[in-house]
Amino acid sequence: MSAVVQPSTIGAHLLEVAGASKRFGGVQALQGVDLRVAEGQVYGLIGPNGAGKTTFFNVITGLVAPDAGRFRLAGHDYKPSAVHQVARAGIARTFQNIRLFASMTALENVMVGRHVRTRSGVWSAVLRTPGFKHEEAAIRDRAHALLAFVGLAERAHQQAQTLSYGDQRRLEIARALATEPRLLALDEPAAGMNATEKRQLRTLIETIRGQGRTVLIIEHDVKLVMGLCDRVSVLDQGRLIAAGTPAEVQRHPAVLTAYLGSAHEPFETHEQPQELQQGEDPYRGNWAVKPDAPHGAGDTA
């Protein structure tokens, strides 16, 4: 088996993970995973089902405590021990299974995400001080701007559960962006989308990168990843088996073996238009998950 293709230094590393490990009972979900993401990149993380991708996301974002590993963001060590602390450090994420506040409006969902950057305390809210009112107005304005950015301006006052599947995905991205993250982590954002929605998603992610943000993306659509990402890492059975440019990774023997069972021809990376078959539902997948849904429900590693 060929050695892992190590990523080269393109710019300052925003996210650095060394030796991330996690065991669940008798299952070693992550085994010493290293990852370095340069600032301004769109970085892809792929692998077969059960490879450990979502577990890795859960670890770096504080949903699951790692057994081992070192974690650095923008040159500073951080401990992924609590979701709110990770958000304040500058990492925001979306989920494989959509987790919106189903009965709240799109605007309210984004405003909730924005509150991580507010300063007003409980008493300011209770007494509705001038400072609190000013801050709340700013939050609302920013939420409207983010909804417009993802193409949901006209859906601002609709309940999240009434939005189409693709719109719910975009709403999750808007809510994550409301935290003003340095790193945006997207867990299978194209899941359940039709071809048109995937093209719109790709344009949105490219626009986010164009604004100077860094994006780390898990995605099963290999063609989308290879056409969008600057660099790609591949996990299999909790181990990093390859990392490099899309061109390097798609020809790596270990990657071909993990996906296809043997060293076949490299993946085709150009996107082909896909027409919906008669009767096919363009919004396949999960709908908004209620706030009391347990963390990890329905997620796969």
Side-chain angles (χ1 to χ4, degrees):
M1 182 179 294
S2 300
V4 171
V5 181
Q6 293 297 332
S8 59
T9 302
I10 295 179
H13 288 114
L14 178 64
L15 176 69
E16 298 176 85
V17 178
S21 297
K22 180 63 184 178
R23 176 182 290 274
F24 296 102
V27 177
Q28 188 71 48
L30 294 176
Q31 304 183 53
V33 175
D34 298 333
L35 192 75
R36 293 182 296 168
V37 181
E39 190 138 23
Q41 283 185 333
V42 176
Y43 200 109
L45 184 63
I46 64 173
N49 287 331
K53 304 181 298 297
T54 293
T55 298
F56 182 81
F57 259 37
N58 289 343
V59 164
I60 68 170
T61 58
L63 277 174
V64 173
D67 296 331
R70 185 180 182 186
F71 306 87
R72 291 174 62 83
L73 185 69
H76 301 284
D77 289 334
Y78 82 95
K79 293 182 179 180
S81 55
V83 175
H84 69 282
Q85 293 175 355
V86 171
R88 287 192 177 277
I91 300 178
R93 70 169 291 180
T94 63
F95 290 87
Q96 178 180 343
N97 288 343
I98 293 174
R99 294 183 183 177
L100 296 170
F101 295 99
S103 61
M104 293 171 62
T105 67
L107 180 66
E108 290 167 340
N109 268 275
V110 179
M111 290 179 68
V112 167
R114 186 65 185 166
H115 277 284
V116 75
R117 297 298 177 197
T118 60
R119 296 182 178 181
S120 296
V122 174
W123 286 113
S124 295
V126 171
L127 299 174
R128 299 196 63 79
T129 63
F132 169 80
K133 292 179 180 178
H134 176 76
E135 193 170 55
E136 195 73 4
I139 291 170
R140 185 176 298 274
D141 289 345
R142 180 58 177 160
H144 274 297
L146 286 169
L147 287 173
F149 175 71
V150 300
L152 295 177
E154 296 181 357
R155 305 282 190 266
H157 300 293
Q158 284 187 225
Q159 286 187 335
Q161 63 190 353
T162 69
L163 298 175
S164 70
Y165 186 72
D167 285 350
Q168 288 189 26
R169 287 286 183 191
R170 284 188 285 274
L171 178 55
E172 266 209 322
I173 293 174
R175 185 177 62 181
L177 289 173
T179 70
E180 300 294 341
R182 297 284 300 273
L183 176 69
L184 178 63
L186 304 177
D187 192 349
E188 296 195 29
M193 287 187 173
N194 60 38
T196 299
E197 291 171 328
K198 286 182 180 180
R199 287 192 291 270
Q200 293 171 344
L201 174 68
R202 175 171 176 170
T203 299
L204 176 59
I205 294 174
E206 288 173 340
T207 302
I208 292 170
R209 172 174 52 187
Q211 294 183 338
R213 297 195 188 277
T214 305
V215 181
L216 176 61
I217 178 172
I218 291 175
E219 183 52 60
H220 277 294
D221 188 329
V222 175
K223 290 181 181 179
L224 176 64
V225 170
M226 296 299 179
L228 175 64
C229 296
D230 301 299
R231 300 188 72 82
V232 180
S233 284
V234 187
L235 293 178
D236 186 33
Q237 298 181 2
R239 298 176 182 271
L240 180 70
I241 61 171
T245 66
E248 292 170 338
V249 167
Q250 69 174 331
R251 292 174 171 80
H252 197 287
V255 177
L256 297 175
T257 298
Y259 272 94
L260 305 175
S262 59
H264 288 67
E265 291 297 315
F267 294 107
E268 294 290 335
T269 60
H270 57 280
E271 294 189 42
Q272 296 289 345
Q274 298 177 18
E275 299 295 334
L276 290 175
Q277 300 299 315
Q278 185 174 5
E280 183 179 0
D281 181 5
Y283 301 117
R284 295 184 302 273
N286 301 301
W287 292 86
V289 176
K290 295 181 180 180
D292 59 356
H295 286 305
D299 288 354
T300 56

